[in-house]
Amino acid sequence: MRDVAFLIPGDLSLPTGGYAYDRAVIRLLPGQGVTAMHVALPGDFPNPTAEDLTDCAAIVRGLPAECLLLIDGLAYGAMPADLIRSFNRPVVALCHHPLALENGISAERAQALHRSEAEALDLAHHVIVTSSLTGKILEGDFGVPAGKITVAEPGTTRKPRATGSGNPALELLAIGSIVPRKGYGVLVEALAGLKKRNWRLKIVGAARSLETVRALQAEIDREGLSDRIQLLGAVRDRDLDDFYEKADLFVMSSLFEGYGMVLAEALQRGLPIITTTGGAASQTVPEGAGLKVPPGDADALRAALDRAMADPSLRAALSEAAFRAGQNLSTWDDTARI
């Protein structure tokens, strides 16, 4: 067995795609001959304080000398080069998506994160990414050699095919943390022009940015949609399964995705999908399984929603294509093996 210390910032139990990926890897690596030890880092990353960085150095010094470091990119990309050099052991970086591509940050902060992540990735012995697109971004924009990158896409857990709501009002479902990058404001703007249609929307996701949550709720109220749109926050796994089961249409309004794990879950359950083409989202959903629109384009998103709502046969065709594609997706065992 090879010992690996998996360094992850913040609360690993949070229901985000990145943390779900990390939890699955920790659980399944022993079956691949690797003992993965979860090591908690301070939760302020990717904006660490000087004290956070001192704590990181002390945490690594306390680890067994022979263990390799696997570091989640939420922390690794924001670590100064001098700190990484002080680890004095091999480092493998896990990049879900580059930190500089997060929406809602200033241009200066994005530039600083780009420099920091480029320096950090240069010091990594190897880099694992969750999509081929992220790998290409690291090659082209961060100077990471292709031979240093391995793609390990997120897996899926086999679930029953969704049955839909059976209600006159179409149940729309959107899942993802409430942060600027998810583009929920664009989704509300799009739906505000479809009040003539009979629909309800559930938005499920942790409130990682309270400012974004407040702005989103204010937009919902301003558009007179508070009786149609629910912000449900983080939910238990069994409740999430029920939301997938009862959904009639899955919507992803994200401006950028490193992979789009919730899209894979929707495919696996056979849900018709409307998604943006932000980042790897367009690759995660194959042609025919969803309607795709440019990120940030409320008019295009509204048109796609209107088309899907108006045409049950279209939704049925998208559902069938999604289900077929979903049965061929990787499992979490595949992810752990890679």
Side-chain angles (χ1 to χ4, degrees):
M1 298 286 280
R2 177 68 190 266
D3 290 334
V4 170
F6 194 172
L7 281 64
I8 304 169
D11 182 359
L12 184 58
S13 69
L14 287 175
T16 70
Y19 284 141
Y21 186 106
D22 295 350
R23 290 193 300 268
V25 167
I26 290 169
R27 184 177 73 253
L28 295 171
L29 276 180
Q32 304 299 327
V34 176
T35 300
M37 171 176 52
H38 172 218
V39 178
L41 295 179
D44 289 334
F45 282 101
N47 302 299
T49 64
E51 184 179 359
D52 291 334
L53 298 176
T54 299
D55 288 345
C56 285
I59 287 168
V60 172
R61 282 197 302 272
L63 295 173
E66 69 278 2
C67 76
L68 176 145
L69 303 182
L70 172 61
I71 307 181
D72 186 278
L74 186 61
Y76 187 70
M79 288 181 174
D82 287 345
L83 174 64
I84 296 169
R85 292 189 187 97
S86 75
F87 294 159
N88 291 320
R89 66 182 80 202
V91 171
V92 174
L94 169 60
C95 182
H96 300 281
H97 65 81
L99 297 175
L101 298 185
E102 190 67 51
N103 294 91
I105 59 177
S106 68
E108 292 77 13
R109 181 57 180 154
Q111 291 170 1
L113 285 170
H114 190 284
R115 288 193 299 271
S116 171
E117 194 152 20
E119 292 176 358
L121 291 169
D122 184 58
L123 294 172
H125 285 65
H126 203 78
V127 181
I128 298 170
V129 296
T130 58
S131 72
S132 58
L133 178 68
T134 299
K136 289 181 172 62
I137 291 173
L138 295 191
E139 283 183 62
D141 296 347
F142 291 81
V144 181
K148 191 173 168 177
I149 298 172
T150 294
V151 179
E153 291 185 349
T156 56
T157 302
R158 296 295 182 250
K159 299 284 186 177
R161 186 168 182 171
T163 60
S165 68
N167 296 327
L170 287 176
E171 289 287 345
L172 280 56
L173 179 63
I175 298 175
S177 298
I178 300 181
V179 293
R181 180 170 53 86
K182 296 299 183 179
Y184 288 128
V186 180
L187 177 56
V188 173
E189 181 183 349
L191 287 169
L194 295 174
K195 293 178 183 177
K196 64 181 180 180
R197 298 290 183 194
N198 194 6
W199 56 267
R200 299 288 184 272
L201 169 66
K202 289 182 172 67
I203 297 178
V204 179
R208 287 177 52 199
S209 168
L210 294 180
E211 180 181 353
T212 304
V213 173
R214 286 192 291 267
L216 181 60
Q217 187 62 63
E219 182 179 3
I220 292 169
D221 295 341
R222 186 169 57 251
E223 296 291 354
L225 295 174
S226 57
D227 60 336
R228 293 209 197 190
I229 300 177
Q230 292 178 278
L231 302 183
L232 297 175
V235 302
R236 297 172 297 182
D237 286 347
R238 63 174 176 269
D239 292 328
L240 188 60
D241 285 340
D242 187 61
F243 292 148
Y244 273 116
E245 172 72 16
K246 301 294 175 55
D248 298 306
L249 186 62
F250 190 86
V251 186
M252 164 73 85
S253 55
S254 184
L255 305 177
F256 182 88
E257 287 294 321
Y259 176 75
M261 285 173 55
V262 293
L263 292 172
E265 295 291 342
L267 287 170
Q268 200 269 317
R269 289 169 167 86
L271 284 172
I273 294 170
I274 295 177
T275 182
T276 70
T277 55
S282 61
Q283 298 176 356
T284 301
V285 177
E287 297 302 320
L291 303 181
K292 304 178 185 182
V293 301
D297 190 333
D299 292 336
L301 183 56
R302 182 183 304 115
L305 285 163
D306 194 30
R307 182 182 168 200
M309 289 180 189
D311 191 346
S313 63
L314 172 61
R315 296 197 303 274
L318 294 174
S319 171
E320 189 60 35
F323 185 70
R324 287 198 304 270
Q327 305 319 295
N328 295 320
L329 290 171
S330 299
T331 67
W332 284 113
D333 284 322
D334 297 325
T335 306
R337 182 168 57 253
I338 294 169

